[in-house]
Amino acid sequence: MKKRWPVKLILGYAGIALAALVAATVLGWLIGPRIDNYAYDTMLRRDAPPPRAPHSVIVAIDDSTLNAMGGTRRLRSILATGLELIAAGRPRVTAMDLILADRGDAAEDQRLRNAMAATPNLVLPVDMVEGRWEAPLPMFRSAASALGHVYPDMDSPDGVMRRISLELASGSQRYWALALQAFRLWRGAPYILESPNVIQIGSETIPARRSDGERPLRIVYTSAPLPRISLEELRRNPSRASELTGRAVFLGVTSLSAARDRVITPYHNDEGMHYMSGVEVHAQVFETLARGQFLSDIPDLDVIFICAGIAALAAVIFGFLSGWRAYMAASILLAGAHLLPFLLFEQRLVVPLFTLAATAWFAISGTATWQHFAVRRQLRASEADRVRYQQTLQFVTHEMRTPLTAIQGSSELMGRYNLPEEKRKEFAAMINAESKRLARMIQTFLDVERLGAGQMELRSESFTPDEILQPCLARVRPIAERKSIAVHAGAMPPLALTGDRELMEYAVYNLLTNAVKYSPAETEIHLTGSVEDGAFRLAIRDQGMGIEEKELRNIFQRFYRTRRAEASGEKGTGIGLSIVDQIIRQHHGRIDVTSRVGEGSCFTMIVPADAATRRNPPSVSSGTVKIET
Ligand code: ADP
């Protein structure tokens, strides 16, 4: 039994680690994103690059611009003025974040168109409205170098804009993001090269894996707002256009009351950068591209690998360590699982913190609990061993005292007195017989102990039922006669049994002596042998005191004695039947008991007729109890 322990233990640890992994993955999938996003925002803010030497400038149509230049109704004039002022600064790219899908005042439209035509590298926006593209009027479109989408929603669960899809398709029309087109023109690249995992612009490679028709890119917001000039300010002070030279200019409405595309940024905990107008977000996307330092999500499979590693470590810790060492190591693992996302973030890799942390918590608490119970079980097992050992000692000392007393007494008498030759021989024979009995007892006891511990191979001999029964009868009859008990043995079937003859004899002898011991004088004992379903059955029926129903189950336990047996004054140790039970089990058999109080008991030993002996046999239900009423 002990040999099976480690395998069970290992399977237990592995099973718990696996369960923790599955639970954490499922939970991570269900409720993880909220926590992961929160952690991500924190890391992003902590690691945010300062807006030092930015490549872009926002020309803002803010409240003061709108107030001074006639409000949103005059937007096309405002844009035209803006473009004219911007062009004077000779920026490398100009991107506009205003969809010009409807016709306006013809003169205004024409003026705007002229301003556009005079703007090199102009990017105009398209947006998706209810699944359909909304594009600038053809007259504007033809003046633009490129069109780019400004669709912000990346199905963020909390409305925070963390990513943008660099590519978006609806119907047969697909657009690259506005900021990506601006970046391409800024780089002077004629086209955008794409593969499933990356986008290439000139020599720049952008990791943007394509999934579900989108290419999400994480926006790395700067730690402070990007430079911005109010259009009104530029109008009043045109020399400031020099600040735009060589830059990418993003022109759009920033007035929070007029802008319809306000988004929440990962700075939602900070006042300053909480809400951002669309044009600022596109400038931030552009900065992310221009900086060339991208954040990429670790593929799901890799996340599972990392989590499996964490779970396996937890199993190893509690499988091999215990006490403070185990808890120390577990704490380190726990801290590691929480820290890893931060460390990886510094390498610009994004992993879901929740799934990692949950795996660590589940795996550690699971394996620690398992260890706790495993240790307790081991303790209980060793406690049981200790008790068994003690009981064995008691039994040995008790059982051996009787022959030893006889030997001692006789030898003393022989030494002290000059005994007649005949008496001396008698004593010597007695000493000899008793010491042999002692030796036999020790041998049997040791055999049974080792048998119980699975350390001994049974002898495999062939014998007939008669061959074990006759010696037992010869030994029991003299004892039975003292109580005038008649022992009737029927004819035994002439079949062959296989097993350990000596142990089988011990078993039968024990059942017989019990029958005599627990029967009153002048009763009978009947032995019947039969064959049923290929099994040999030996029934030993007495007319003794019987056993109460509720006690029947216990008599095969070590040291158990019935109340009636105790009251009868018969000496006993309560170990005989437990040994008999073991022997019969080892022979793949069982014992049935039927009993009626005051009328007698019947112990039936059932062993396969071809009982082959094996080491560590499968456990057979033994001591099956039937009650006759
Ligand atoms: P012991 O006889 O030394 O007490 P055993 O293990 O042989 O130990 O028996 C266990 C108990 O089962 C006995 O103490 C007795 O109470 C009960 N018992 C066994 N055999 C009989 C029987 N034939 N009739 C009545 N009670 C019995």
Side-chain angles (χ1 to χ4, degrees), residues 514 517-518 542 547 555 560-562 565 572-577 601:
N514 274 351
K517 217 166 25 168
Y518 300 112
D542 63 42
I547 303 160
I555 56 171
Y560 188 84
R561 307 204 68 217
T562 61
T573 53
I575 201 159
L577 280 184
S601 316

Side-chain angles (χ1 to χ4, degrees), residues 55-57 86-87 89-95 119-123 145 181-189 241 243-249 286:
H55 306 286
S56 56
V57 183
I86 291 165
R90 289 201 317 283
R92 241 201 268 182
V93 178
T94 305
T119 306
N121 287 342
L122 175 71
V123 189
S145 304
Q181 288 287 20
F183 180 64
R184 173 178 73 81
L185 294 168
W186 190 71
R187 273 295 170 112
E243 291 169 35
L244 313 178
T245 313
R247 301 265 182 96
V249 171
F286 176 86

Side-chain angles (χ1 to χ4, degrees), residues 471-486:
C472 293
L473 285 173
R475 279 159 66 201
V476 156
R477 280 209 165 103
I479 315 168
E481 267 161 27
R482 267 185 250 150
K483 286 173 88 173
S484 304
I485 292 173

Side-chain angles (χ1 to χ4, degrees), residues 328-368:
M328 191 79 177
S331 311
I332 294 170
L333 177 62
L334 205 56
H338 286 78
L339 265 178
L340 190 63
F342 291 86
L343 296 178
L344 287 175
F345 192 87
E346 284 179 4
Q347 305 305 310
R348 299 181 212 295
L349 291 169
V350 181
V351 282
L353 179 126
F354 178 88
T355 312
L356 262 61
T359 307
W361 279 106
F362 289 165
I364 286 171
S365 44
T367 48

Side-chain angles (χ1 to χ4, degrees), residues 12 38 140 157 169 202 228 230 247 334 362 491 572:
Y38 184 82
F140 298 131
R228 155 210 306 222
S230 157
R247 301 265 182 96
L334 205 56
F362 289 165

Side-chain angles (χ1 to χ4, degrees), residues 162-173:
R162 295 183 183 87
R163 305 183 296 176
I164 189 166
S165 180
L166 292 183
E167 137 182 17
L168 209 61
S170 179
S172 60
Q173 194 62 48

Side-chain angles (χ1 to χ4, degrees), residues 21 25 99 104 134-135 182 215 219-220 229 256 258 268 318 380 493 515 567:
L21 179 65
T25 312
I99 318 282
E134 207 177 80
R215 284 181 191 268
I219 309 169
V220 183
I229 304 173
L256 290 185
H268 49 91
F318 285 97
R380 240 183 290 148

